[in-house]
């Protein structure tokens, strides 16, 4: 195996990828899975009764999934512009 | 003759399997194309890492559409004895779930591939010129709407299909 004098130094804390970014990604992924399914079950049980109840519940779940995507897009763009201001200073 | 005597359960469960299976194939295909491009481009341009995760999220939304539809479809499954199973209403439910599953599955499959290839090119273009990313995002949004079309039509197809019910 190559000795440590020839291998490059591996950084465990990357300053360009701070922890807050990873937490936001994990949180959005978690909500992406949990929120639409729980919205579907909740609305189909309590809100939408009748013939097309499951259809409306599924459409609301799809709407919530798109809302999570939208919130992630906004978060990613705000972080990016935050980094640019930091680098300029 | 085999097709005429096939159980409605066959059609319904096959449709649910195709719905979630093909959606996940599309999402996975998109994610691996985009992911490998982001990782490759981030070697020289590390700033693209955070913004290009948007493409990954678009691909994952496709899989969530498949999961939602599979749950909606599987809510119509009931345990019916085989002598009461072969009613016209149950046949309609079986066929509706089969074709609804194919609709949702194929729409999500190609939506995932489209968003994946666009996302990978967006990552590489972003590495060269940061101003391009916002414009390519519009293309990805249009591609992601394709999955939503499949979901809506799948819901229209199966909206009137009742649960499996015993013959009276």
């Amino acid at each position: 195996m190559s000795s440590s004098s020839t291998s490059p130094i591996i950084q465990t804390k990357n300053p360009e990828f701070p922890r807050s970014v990873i937490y936001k990604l994990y949180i959005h992924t978690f909500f992406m899975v949990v929120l639409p399914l729980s919205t579907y079950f909740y609305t189909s049980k309590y809100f939408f009764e009748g013939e097309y109840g499951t259809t409306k519940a599924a459409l609301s779940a799809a709407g919530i999934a798109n809302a999570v995507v939208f919130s992630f897009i906004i978060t990613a763009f705000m972080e990016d512009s935050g980094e640019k201001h930091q680098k300029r200073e | 003759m085999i097709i005429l005597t096939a159980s409605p359960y066959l059609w319904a469960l096959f449709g649910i399997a195709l719905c979630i299976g093909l959606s996940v194939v599309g999402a996975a295909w998109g994610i691996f194309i985009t992911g490998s491009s982001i990782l490759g481009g981030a070697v020289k341009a590390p700033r693209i890492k955070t913004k290009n995760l948007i493409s990954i999220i678009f691909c994952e939304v496709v899989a969530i559409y498949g999961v939602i539809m599979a749950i909606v479809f599987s809510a119509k499954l009931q345990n019916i004895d085989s002598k009461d199973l072969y009613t016209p209403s149950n046949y309609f439910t079986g066929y509706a779930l089969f074709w609804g599953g194919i609709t949702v599955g194929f729409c999500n499959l190609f939506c995932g591939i489209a968003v994946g290839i666009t996302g990978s090119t967006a990552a590489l273009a972003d590495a060269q010129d940061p101003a391009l990313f916002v414009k390519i995002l519009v293309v990805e949004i249009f591609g992601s709407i394709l999955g939503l079309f499949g979901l809506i039509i799948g819901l229209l197809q199966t909206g009137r299909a009742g649960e499996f019910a015993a013959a009276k």
Side-chain angles (χ1 to χ4, degrees):
Chain A
M1 294 295 293
S2 62
S3 61
S4 59
S5 60
T6 55
S7 64
I9 299 170
I10 300 172
Q11 286 182 331
T12 50
K13 286 186 186 174
N14 192 349
E16 292 198 31
F17 215 174
R19 279 197 184 173
S20 64
V21 171
I22 302 182
Y23 281 154
K24 281 177 192 170
L25 178 67
Y26 279 162
I27 286 176
H28 277 96
T29 307
F30 176 75
F31 279 143
M32 171 67 77
V33 177
V34 165
L35 275 186
L37 297 179
S38 46
T39 306
Y40 168 73
F41 285 119
Y42 185 72
T43 53
S44 77
K45 193 171 180 186
Y46 293 122
F47 285 146
F48 299 124
E49 307 286 345
E51 192 184 6
Y52 284 110
T54 57
T55 304
K56 293 177 196 166
L59 283 174
S60 68
I64 293 281
N66 281 309
V68 173
V69 169
F70 197 55
S71 124
F72 182 77
I73 292 178
I74 292 180
T75 308
F77 272 112
M78 276 173 41
E79 265 173 29
D80 216 46
S81 61
E83 270 182 25
K84 277 187 196 168
H85 284 304
Q86 273 185 2
K87 279 186 181 170
R88 279 185 199 159
E89 289 164 13
Chain B
M1 281 308 291
I2 291 182
I3 290 198
L4 292 177
T5 58
S7 158
Y9 283 144
L10 168 73
W11 299 115
L13 291 165
F14 202 14
I16 294 173
L18 284 176
C19 170
I20 185 64
L22 292 174
S23 302
V24 167
V25 169
W29 200 329
I31 288 179
F32 83 66
I33 290 179
T34 304
S36 51
S37 288
I38 293 178
L39 286 173
V43 171
K44 286 287 188 178
R47 60 179 165 75
I48 70 170
K49 289 194 295 266
T50 52
K51 232 174 22 168
N52 284 281
L53 295 173
I54 291 176
S55 310
I56 305 272
I57 293 271
F58 271 130
C59 292
E60 188 182 341
V61 159
V62 159
I64 295 293
Y65 289 159
V67 169
I68 293 175
M69 290 315 291
I71 291 182
V72 168
F73 292 162
S74 64
K76 301 190 194 280
L77 296 175
Q78 295 291 329
N79 186 12
I80 307 292
D81 212 18
S82 67
K83 58 180 172 17
D84 302 326
L85 181 61
Y86 294 88
T87 66
S89 163
N90 288 347
Y91 269 121
F92 175 64
T93 300
Y95 295 145
L97 292 187
F98 179 68
W99 291 107
I102 282 188
T103 304
V104 175
F106 274 107
C107 284
N108 286 338
L109 171 67
F110 289 110
C111 171
I113 295 176
V115 173
I117 295 181
T118 311
S120 97
T121 312
L124 299 176
D126 189 22
Q128 284 287 326
D129 180 9
L132 281 176
F133 182 73
V134 179
K135 299 184 174 68
I136 298 185
L137 200 61
V138 174
V139 177
E140 279 188 59
I141 291 177
F142 275 114
S144 159
I145 293 177
L146 300 176
L148 199 59
F149 289 163
L151 181 123
I152 292 174
I153 301 300
L155 283 173
L156 286 177
Q157 285 174 309
T158 58
R160 284 188 193 269
E163 291 181 352
F164 282 122
K168 288 178 190 165

